[in-house]
Amino acid sequence: MDDIRKHHQETQCIHASLKSDETGTVVTPIYQVSTFSFPDVDHGADLFADRKKGYIYTRMANPTIESLEQAVAVLEDGYNGLGCSSGMAAIHTTLTAMLSAGDHLICSDAVYGPTTTLIRDVLMRFGVQATFVDTSDLDAVRKALRPETKVLYIETPGNPTMVISDIKALSGIAHKWGARLVVDNTFMSPILQQPLKHGADVVVHSMTKFLNGHADVVAGMIVVSSEEDYKTFRSVLDETGGVIDPFNSFLVSRGIKTLAIRMQRHCENATKMAEFLGTHPLVDRVYFPWLPSHPNHEVAKRQMNGPGGVISFELKGGLKAGKILMNSVKFHMLAVSLGGVETLIEHPASMTHATMGSEARKKARITDGLVRISVGIENIDELIEDLERALAKVKASTKSPA
Ligand code: LCS
């Protein structure tokens, strides 16, 4: 379709990934090949020297991968995308493309656990300095700036506390300082938040989550906003090798066809579940951006088109009560990951955020009693009934003699 960028995201989800071949395929086929042949030696040399356009080797470029990169870049309104083998590969590629030994990075304290450990236990070994702060607090970010600060890295909403950082304000702070802003947009997908439009420089995704949406792929994506960044990032990705493969690219492209409609249902279901939890007598606190009680509710309403599908909450009985709940639910599968059509429940302190260590968790306000639900697209009344049954068990257990 001509100039797909002018169209609505619902249309982009269906049409942005198409790279039709001479047979007229209506979806991009899977080019399940590692290497492409050259008609002659000079042509091969021209491709390597960038004098001619064409395919060489799948780690460098492949039509199925390119079609997915193009689709996510269009949805994010970015320059281009770089498909990665996982969300962590996308984050690793981004940070190694943007930072050198001696540079300083400011990162949100509440982020996916392995993002913290990638920075703290891997990048810092190579001379990168880092400070973890609550990036919803603009003054805390300003105080953490150093002459060597090159990157401000945020995840918003943050995993698992749902803390919201103000993308526009933070891009202003970063740019004034000569630093750049990277946003992990995994929890929102481009349907609910487009960070580049709010001033971010780079967006990263774990496509394992909402973009693919079916719990059958591990993959990541980087979206950059300029040709210059694209060239730098592409060369780092080529050399470090964390690229996505054609088959997974095909599956994610297929998932994206229904992204807009799935996100709508995730938001509706999660809002109803958050409202239910918010009024339940056994629930102490609910962290969900669309609840007026959320501390960053105003910022959320400003930069997000919907709350997303993830809710965190604490029960009155803390970890003990949370364990009974998680062991009693039927349609909420006890599993890590999020953003799929199926509802998942998990315990961040002992699962997704275990490697951070208790001190970093405490600083990021990830309590031992916190429970996280990724609300799927099942019938919401049945999901709430499932939670009600499990909460009744929690209540019964607190009454039984010790
Ligand atoms: N960014 C965010 C916000 C994430 O939630 C995750 C994974 C990643 C990056 C890394 O992506 P991956 O390499 O797994 O594709 N989050 C997970 C979670 O909360 N449970 O299991 C994985």
Side-chain angles (χ1 to χ4, degrees), residues 86-88 112 155 159 184 206 208-209 336-338 352 372:
S86 67
M88 290 316 301
Y112 176 51
E155 196 178 286
N159 183 356
D184 183 332
S206 166
T208 317
K209 312 297 176 331
V336 297
S337 201
L338 56 100
T352 46
R372 189 187 77 187

Side-chain angles (χ1 to χ4, degrees), residues 285-391:
R285 294 177 115 182
V286 182
Y287 303 96
F288 186 69
W290 252 220
L291 290 181
S293 58
H294 190 288
N296 319 116
H297 180 64
E298 293 308 317
V299 179
K301 284 273 178 175
R302 219 168 41 232
Q303 69 188 19
M304 293 153 55
N305 302 322
V310 182
I311 306 172
S312 292
F313 59 99
E314 286 175 68
L315 293 180
K316 291 218 166 101
L319 178 58
K320 188 167 168 249
K323 271 191 182 171
I324 298 168
L325 176 86
M326 286 183 275
N327 286 333
S328 308
V329 279
K330 186 169 125 196
F331 289 126
H332 297 63
M333 279 186 272
L334 181 59
V336 297
S337 201
L338 56 100
V341 291
E342 58 286 298
T343 298
L344 303 178
I345 193 164
E346 71 113 9
H347 178 231
S350 68
M351 298 175 185
T352 46
H353 294 70
T355 55
M356 281 170 79
S358 56
E359 212 167 291
R361 275 198 304 277
K362 198 169 159 198
K363 192 165 168 269
R365 301 158 305 283
I366 304 167
T367 61
D368 285 348
L370 198 71
V371 175
R372 189 187 77 187
I373 297 182
S374 172
V375 187
I377 64 167
E378 300 95 331
N379 178 280
I380 187 59
D381 296 333
E382 289 185 348
L383 288 176
I384 289 177
E385 273 165 34
D386 192 25
L387 272 185
E388 257 173 339
R389 263 193 309 269
L391 284 163

Side-chain angles (χ1 to χ4, degrees), residues 1 71 163 204-205 280-281 318:
M1 190 182 281
V163 68
V204 292
H205 279 282
H280 197 283

Side-chain angles (χ1 to χ4, degrees), residues 86-323:
S86 67
M88 290 316 301
I91 297 166
H92 176 247
T93 304
T94 298
L95 294 178
T96 47
M98 297 178 87
L99 294 162
S100 301
D103 289 344
H104 176 245
L105 155 79
I106 298 173
C107 180
S108 306
D109 54 10
V111 289
Y112 176 51
T115 302
T116 309
T117 40
L118 165 70
I119 294 168
R120 192 187 63 195
D121 301 346
V122 182
L123 295 183
M124 287 178 82
R125 279 202 284 117
F126 292 85
V128 170
Q129 307 168 59
T131 309
F132 295 90
V133 297
D134 174 2
T135 50
S136 71
D137 177 350
L138 300 180
D139 280 336
V141 173
R142 284 191 197 97
K143 277 192 199 126
L145 288 165
R146 297 186 197 165
E148 317 81 60
T149 307
K150 294 280 163 50
V151 172
L152 180 49
Y153 182 97
I154 63 172
E155 196 178 286
T156 182
N159 183 356
T161 57
M162 304 304 291
V163 68
I164 307 289
S165 301
D166 185 333
I167 301 172
K168 197 167 177 207
L170 290 168
S171 76
I173 292 173
H175 294 161
K176 204 169 152 204
W177 200 256
R180 311 187 72 212
L181 179 67
V182 180
V183 179
D184 183 332
N185 203 25
T186 298
F187 269 44
M188 293 280 90
S189 90
I191 301 296
L192 300 183
Q193 181 169 271
Q194 290 174 296
L196 301 177
K197 286 196 171 158
H198 298 288
D201 300 284
V202 179
V203 168
V204 292
H205 279 282
S206 166
M207 297 197 295
T208 317
K209 312 297 176 331
F210 292 104
L211 279 166
N212 179 56
H214 293 76
D216 50 13
V217 167
V218 171
M221 182 66 73
I222 305 165
V223 179
V224 292
S225 49
S226 71
E227 185 181 4
E228 193 188 343
D229 275 348
Y230 180 71
K231 284 188 174 153
T232 311
F233 281 56
R234 178 58 73 189
S235 123
V236 171
L237 184 58
D238 280 358
E239 282 137 24
T240 52
V243 290
I244 192 172
D245 68 275
F247 185 61
N248 277 342
S249 300
F250 169 82
L251 287 176
V252 180
S253 292
R254 187 162 80 152
I256 287 175
K257 306 265 180 190
T258 56
L259 180 65
I261 198 164
R262 279 189 286 110
M263 292 318 294
Q264 193 180 336
R265 183 64 173 265
H266 281 296
C267 291
E268 285 165 15
N269 277 1
T271 302
K272 285 186 188 156
M273 191 183 281
E275 283 165 358
F276 162 76
L277 288 167
T279 54
H280 197 283
L282 288 186
V283 177
D284 198 15
R285 294 177 115 182
V286 182
Y287 303 96
F288 186 69
W290 252 220
L291 290 181
S293 58
H294 190 288
N296 319 116
H297 180 64
E298 293 308 317
V299 179
K301 284 273 178 175
R302 219 168 41 232
Q303 69 188 19
M304 293 153 55
N305 302 322
V310 182
I311 306 172
S312 292
F313 59 99
E314 286 175 68
L315 293 180
K316 291 218 166 101
L319 178 58
K320 188 167 168 249
K323 271 191 182 171

